[in-house]
Amino acid sequence: MQSMNFWRAYARNKGAVIGLLIMAVVVVLGLFAPLIYPESPWDMVNAPFLGPMEEGSLLGTDTLGRDIASGIAHGARVSLLIGLTSTAVALVIGVTLGALAGFFGGWVDDTLMRFTELFQTIPNFVLTVVLVAIFTPSQGSIVLAIAIVSWPPLARLARAEFMALRSREFVQAAITTGQSNATIIFREILPNSLSPLIVSSSLMVATAVLLESSLSFLGLGDPNAMSWGYMVGAARTVIRQAWWMSFFPGLAILLTVLALNLIGEGLNDALNPRVARKGKA
Amino acid sequence: MNAVAVSSSSAPSPVTAFPNRQPLLDVRGLSIALPPSADRELAVDALTFTLNPNEILCVVGESGSGKSMTAHAVMGLLPVPSVRVAAGALLFKGNNVLTMSEPEQRALRGGRIAMVFQEPMTALNPLMRVGDQVEESLRIHTDLDRTARKARVIELFAQVGLPNPAELVRSYPFRLSGGQRQRVMIALALACEPDVLIADEPTTALDVTTQKQILDLIRSIQAERQMGVMFITHDFGVVAEIAHRVAVMRHGKLVEIGTADEVLNRPSHPYTRQLIASVPHAMGDRPPFTPSGEPLLLAEGLHKTFHVGGGLFKKGKEVTAGKNISLTIHPGETVGLVGESGSGKSTLGRSVMGLMKPDSGRLLYKGTDLLSLDRRAFRPFRREIQMVFQDPYASLNPRRMVGEIIAQGPIAFGEAPAQAMARASDLLAMVGLDASAAKRFPHEFSGGQRQRISIARALAMGPSLLIADEPVSALDVSVQAQVLALLDDIRHRLNLSMLFITHDLRVASRVCDTIAVMQRGSIVEMGPAAEVFGNPQHPYTQSLIDAIPGRGWEIPADLSHGEGVSA
């Protein structure tokens, strides 16, 4: 019943449905990359500098004769994996700190928020670059670095939600019926603060995908994993002779990030119907 | 059908000086359509009535009756296209407002027809001086020059009884009290000498003493200018106070219209009768309460000061919410704590619940000082003292089933979940809900039903003392009567003591044995309900009682015993 309503509200936003379709294609591509292109994307399978649709290569080859279509399919795995895991890690850190700060208030709140501000004052990308450079690039260090720069907004959001819900009467009723703090946090407040958190973390996946691509572009990606950002970075010197080398990975990044943003907007419409209706009317 | 019958019977109003003159506002068969997703098709269904010059027509109804929609249609404030006029005509002095061009309508609104809103806090632009806001209306609708406009604004402010008008025009809205803002709103509405004033619950957000002043003001201005006033309200006390004629609405339809005397004293429609029977009034047959035994709760010299604003480097403002509060509640006694907003009545309730710690004083419950306990030591008392909250829409967790909400307390205290759920079903039956409600979510229930669930949650703990913080102020009057009757019934059956916090003296008089009146953080008078109401000693109590709207009106005898309250 409720999930039906959710889908109806979600489907009312046409863009969100398109976003979901694009995302589905990207996910399928990532999941089945080893089946579609069984060879490693690093293998030189053809002559270099082949344009799209030349000599049986769908999207052409790069400067070393590696297949670009294969690189994009394998790159989807890397982008999605890093986008999702780093957001999950950021969510755990952000919601935990934000919930504690919002629920307990007072000095707990002050301490945690000053700590959060410390991270917010440093430009995101610079900090990621520094962290990855220190930890040496690998999937694990990239996930961690992205998570470390992305949790503060989630912590702020969770804190605001918890503070607002903390003073609501149903939470006070839970206090007066002798519930423990853990019960109040997990059963009373958290379920009611989920929707904005889901919405903003769906947007955060998009940011994480972008951050990963930017790191790879700078050559700070995982050296063992083919990634979209790396492909754009490696092809930038020949962009005038061979546009397809950077165009197709760039398009993949663009579509994925766009799809994630559209999904985030659709989730917002579906989860916060009142706000959505105001916007449309 | 009703509407047609009504328009013929409504004509001669005893206060209308010129019965043959054309009505100011003639609403004919007005229907307003709601969007398809709404719970009913028409917000207003074939509504027909007239507003004559020099009369106050009160439009009464519960929430969702379509009374505000009607006013908004007249003012062109409907959120088109989702809500629109589907049929009918709205004649202002014989011209149909609905077919007028946009500029003509604009000239009418604010010029010939003006409106006062419910919420004076939000109806004024917070970034503009109040004088400028009134002047703006004059600039649009008149050709007075700047100096003349300024003078006129000051004159208007003086007429609506604002203190020191020459200074006050330069104030921003946040500097004014609620009552003053409502006066500014009225000045704004009067700026262009309108023929029709529409007042949409203009006193609902105000304290009772302020409400009285605003009602007096509207009445005197109406008489002075011979305006037609359409006054929308849900409160029959207010109706009795100012109405010349009364129209009663239900589910978008007009159920009854007539002179104030007819409708208030000889209501004919069953719905009107039910509404009037629900108006809170003292139950005459309440036996006087004689305290026996040790007091259950004894508050002594409670102080509480709030620090507002301020930060690391500057000192904030101090607000005193409690000043030497002392109060006793005996077993089986219901103590009403009455006061206007900001008087500190909730502070006391919250202190007893352990939701707030007073700065000093003692709070003895069966001899134990609750204030000396930390959270762990306080826990056993949670079973003994329970609370019913004000807002039934905010006090139930929307994501949990009703059964869980009721059973959560006993489960937290170690009761077996199955047993707690079984008891939750019993409690639902006790508060008049079906046992199947346990498996549903709060949003499936109406406000009154939710408040019943809230009461069941409190009772699940088996308390001896129930704190009810404005438990009926968010409910419609007929539902209010039912919930009050339920509370009264339950406390007798379970021999509960109750601290009943309310701003409404009429409600307090209905359920309380003892009344304590609070003003600015102190209890200024306390005594048996009959004495406090019959022979108030403190001037503040006297002014409160004097301000109860419709005091001169006796509920018709055949309705005063709660007939038709069940439903």
Side-chain angles (χ1 to χ4, degrees):
Chain A
M1 178 66 193
Q2 263 183 323
S3 62
M4 277 300 291
N5 284 340
F6 172 82
W7 281 113
R8 206 171 303 143
Y10 183 89
R12 215 178 294 144
N13 185 335
K14 292 285 173 294
V17 177
I18 295 171
L20 203 62
L21 288 177
I22 300 176
M23 209 55 225
V25 171
V26 177
V27 168
V28 167
L29 197 64
L31 279 178
F32 293 104
L35 296 176
I36 312 171
Y37 297 100
E39 289 142 50
S40 161
W42 299 97
D43 285 352
M44 292 172 246
V45 291
N46 226 325
F49 284 96
L50 287 179
M53 307 308 283
E54 278 177 40
E55 296 186 26
S57 101
L58 184 63
L59 301 176
T61 58
D62 71 0
T63 48
L64 296 174
R66 294 175 296 209
D67 191 56
I68 288 182
S70 165
I72 286 178
H74 285 268
R77 289 172 84 83
V78 176
S79 291
L80 290 184
L81 198 69
I82 290 185
L84 290 174
T85 44
S86 60
T87 304
V89 176
L91 209 54
V92 170
I93 306 175
V95 172
T96 310
L97 296 187
L100 291 175
F103 185 79
F104 290 105
W107 66 266
V108 181
D109 182 30
D110 282 339
T111 316
L112 290 175
M113 281 304 110
R114 293 306 85 78
F115 181 67
T116 310
E117 278 160 14
L118 198 70
F119 281 88
Q120 287 192 301
T121 50
I122 310 170
N124 273 357
F125 190 59
V126 177
L127 183 58
T128 339
V129 168
V130 171
L131 287 172
V132 174
I134 295 172
F135 293 134
T136 69
S138 72
Q139 289 210 356
S141 69
I142 292 173
V143 165
L144 202 68
I146 294 178
I148 284 176
V149 299
S150 1
W151 67 266
L154 288 176
R156 290 234 160 238
L157 183 65
R159 169 177 177 266
E161 285 292 316
F162 267 68
M163 279 173 83
L165 289 167
R166 175 89 172 77
S167 54
R168 288 282 287 278
E169 288 187 342
F170 71 83
V171 176
Q172 302 203 324
I175 298 174
T176 61
T177 49
Q179 314 285 310
S180 67
N181 281 341
T183 316
I184 293 173
I185 290 176
F186 287 111
R187 305 224 45 191
E188 304 288 331
I189 305 186
L190 195 60
N192 285 294
S193 58
L194 275 185
S195 14
L197 287 171
I198 290 174
V199 171
S200 64
S201 50
S202 72
L203 298 174
M204 197 149 279
V205 177
T207 327
V209 169
L210 269 182
L211 268 177
E212 190 277 331
S213 300
S214 317
L215 283 173
S216 305
F217 177 85
L218 293 180
L220 284 166
D222 181 350
N224 303 314
M226 177 59 78
S227 117
W228 297 339
Y230 166 78
M231 293 167 80
V232 177
R236 73 183 192 282
T237 48
V238 293
I239 191 162
R240 280 197 285 178
Q241 299 94 304
W243 56 271
W244 61 89
M245 289 182 201
S246 36
F247 175 77
F248 290 112
L251 190 67
I253 297 172
L254 173 80
L255 287 178
T256 309
V257 171
L258 180 71
L260 285 165
N261 277 297
L262 289 173
I263 290 172
E265 230 173 78
L267 286 175
N268 192 29
D269 285 2
L271 293 171
N272 307 324
R274 241 168 303 144
V275 183
R277 218 171 293 144
K278 229 180 267 168
K280 297 273 145 58
Chain B
M1 292 302 103
N2 247 324
V4 180
V6 150
S7 61
S8 58
S9 69
S10 68
S13 149
V15 288
T16 306
F18 314 98
N20 297 327
R21 231 164 79 174
Q22 189 180 29
L24 280 174
L25 208 57
D26 189 354
V27 178
R28 293 184 186 165
L30 181 73
S31 291
I32 298 173
L34 286 170
S37 57
D39 57 349
R40 64 173 195 249
E41 215 174 300
L42 296 173
V44 173
D45 189 357
L47 181 67
T48 299
F49 71 88
T50 55
L51 175 66
N52 301 316
N54 195 19
E55 75 163 355
I56 299 180
L57 172 71
C58 274
V59 181
V60 201
E62 297 188 288
S63 50
S65 61
K67 51 194 196 304
S68 286
M69 278 290 186
T70 310
H72 285 190
V74 176
M75 292 305 287
L77 289 174
L78 293 180
V80 277
S82 54
V83 177
R84 62 194 167 74
V85 174
L90 252 171
L91 306 184
F92 174 74
K93 290 187 173 172
N95 302 316
N96 192 350
V97 179
L98 299 173
T99 55
M100 280 181 192
S101 69
E102 193 59 35
E104 281 174 317
Q105 287 192 28
R106 266 207 301 276
L108 207 60
R109 283 172 217 139
R112 310 284 21 107
I113 310 178
M115 185 157 176
V116 178
F117 294 89
Q118 172 172 355
E119 204 39 91
M121 301 295 168
T122 53
L124 289 167
N125 181 347
L127 296 178
M128 218 170 143
R129 295 176 198 275
V130 288
D132 294 347
Q133 303 195 32
V134 179
E135 200 191 320
E136 190 179 41
S137 170
L138 288 170
R139 201 176 64 230
I140 295 167
H141 292 286
T142 65
D143 41 16
L144 296 175
D145 66 6
R146 205 176 139 75
T147 14
R149 288 200 303 262
K150 291 249 185 261
R152 175 93 179 104
V153 171
I154 293 174
E155 186 190 325
L156 279 165
F157 274 28
Q159 279 172 12
V160 296
L162 282 164
N164 208 352
E167 295 284 315
L168 201 102
V169 290
R170 300 173 45 76
S171 303
Y172 286 95
F174 74 90
R175 294 216 175 271
L176 309 184
S177 70
Q180 287 176 331
R181 287 182 218 198
Q182 202 58 294
R183 285 174 194 270
V184 171
M185 281 304 296
I186 293 171
L188 184 57
L190 295 177
C192 301
E193 312 240 331
D195 303 310
V196 174
L197 179 69
I198 298 176
D200 189 359
E201 304 253 10
T203 59
T204 307
L206 304 175
D207 278 325
V208 57
T209 46
T210 321
Q211 162 168 293
K212 181 181 165 60
Q213 296 165 6
I214 296 291
L215 290 179
D216 287 345
L217 174 69
I218 290 179
R219 196 169 34 199
S220 70
I221 284 174
Q222 182 275 330
E224 197 178 301
R225 303 183 177 218
Q226 316 236 317
M227 283 188 302
V229 175
M230 178 174 160
F231 193 104
I232 295 167
T233 182
H234 65 278
D235 187 336
F236 266 98
V238 171
V239 174
E241 196 74 22
I242 67 166
H244 298 143
R245 282 198 309 142
V246 184
V248 183
M249 285 183 74
R250 183 194 200 184
H251 301 326
K253 292 193 173 80
L254 189 72
V255 298
E256 184 163 1
I257 188 166
T259 63
D261 176 52
E262 283 164 14
V263 175
L264 290 173
N265 299 325
R266 293 181 300 283
S268 58
H269 194 279
Y271 178 68
T272 316
R273 295 175 63 84
Q274 184 202 327
L275 275 184
I276 290 180
S278 305
V279 172
H281 51 276
M283 290 189 191
D285 47 1
R286 173 182 292 281
F289 180 82
T290 37
S292 58
E294 288 291 297
L296 189 66
L297 185 84
L298 181 65
E300 274 180 352
L302 291 181
H303 280 272
K304 176 76 189 174
T305 306
F306 286 109
H307 301 272
V308 189
L312 210 49
F313 304 110
K314 64 167 194 266
K315 251 181 96 110
K317 229 171 42 178
E318 289 194 346
V319 178
T320 308
K323 213 162 43 187
N324 201 13
I325 302 174
S326 299
L327 179 107
T328 45
I329 303 178
H330 291 89
E333 184 180 15
T334 295
V335 175
L337 198 55
V338 183
E340 298 187 293
S341 55
S343 61
K345 48 192 196 306
S346 287
T347 303
L348 181 57
R350 277 161 195 274
S351 303
V352 179
M353 290 310 299
L355 291 170
M356 181 188 281
K357 256 213 154 62
D359 304 327
S360 63
R362 292 202 307 160
L363 199 53
L364 300 178
Y365 178 82
K366 289 186 180 167
T368 315
D369 188 2
L370 296 177
L371 301 181
S372 67
L373 305 175
D374 62 11
R375 194 170 163 184
R376 190 180 303 272
F378 193 92
R379 200 159 180 266
F381 291 96
R382 298 261 183 234
R383 299 217 73 154
E384 303 262 326
I385 312 171
Q386 275 298 305
M387 184 159 186
V388 176
F389 290 86
Q390 171 173 5
D391 184 355
Y393 292 91
S395 66
L396 303 174
N397 185 343
R399 311 249 164 179
R400 298 186 77 176
M401 283 190 294
V402 167
E404 287 180 321
I405 291 175
I406 297 172
Q408 64 176 0
I411 291 174
F413 278 91
E415 198 167 316
Q419 195 191 340
M421 289 301 279
R423 233 159 46 77
S425 301
D426 295 345
L427 284 164
L428 282 170
M430 186 173 186
V431 296
L433 289 173
D434 198 73
S436 68
K439 292 262 180 293
R440 288 154 68 191
F441 285 93
H443 69 86
E444 299 172 51
F445 296 90
S446 70
Q449 289 172 325
R450 284 163 180 241
Q451 204 56 302
R452 287 171 191 269
I453 295 169
S454 189
I455 292 170
R457 168 174 60 192
L459 295 180
M461 303 291 272
S464 325
L465 175 62
L466 198 61
I467 314 273
D469 190 354
E470 302 264 12
V472 296
S473 65
L475 305 174
D476 273 326
V477 56
S478 62
V479 183
Q480 205 173 54
Q482 295 167 24
V483 172
L484 285 177
L486 174 70
L487 277 173
D488 206 47
D489 170 52
I490 278 173
R491 79 168 180 108
H492 280 117
R493 263 205 277 172
L494 304 178
N495 195 29
L496 289 176
S497 302
M498 190 152 73
L499 178 62
F500 192 97
I501 300 169
T502 182
H503 69 281
D504 191 333
L505 284 151
R506 292 171 294 175
V507 168
S509 72
R510 182 151 185 162
V511 290
C512 299
D513 302 310
T514 310
I515 301 278
V517 181
M518 279 194 87
Q519 183 192 22
R520 284 188 235 107
S522 316
I523 293 179
V524 294
E525 181 162 1
M526 184 167 175
E531 253 171 62
V532 172
F533 285 114
N535 184 19
Q537 296 304 311
H538 194 275
Y540 180 67
T541 316
Q542 290 164 359
S543 73
L544 275 184
I545 291 176
D546 191 45
I548 296 177
R551 275 217 318 144
W553 170 53
E554 287 279 333
I555 290 175
D558 57 326
L559 293 176
S560 65
H561 293 286
E563 173 227 320
V565 175
S566 61

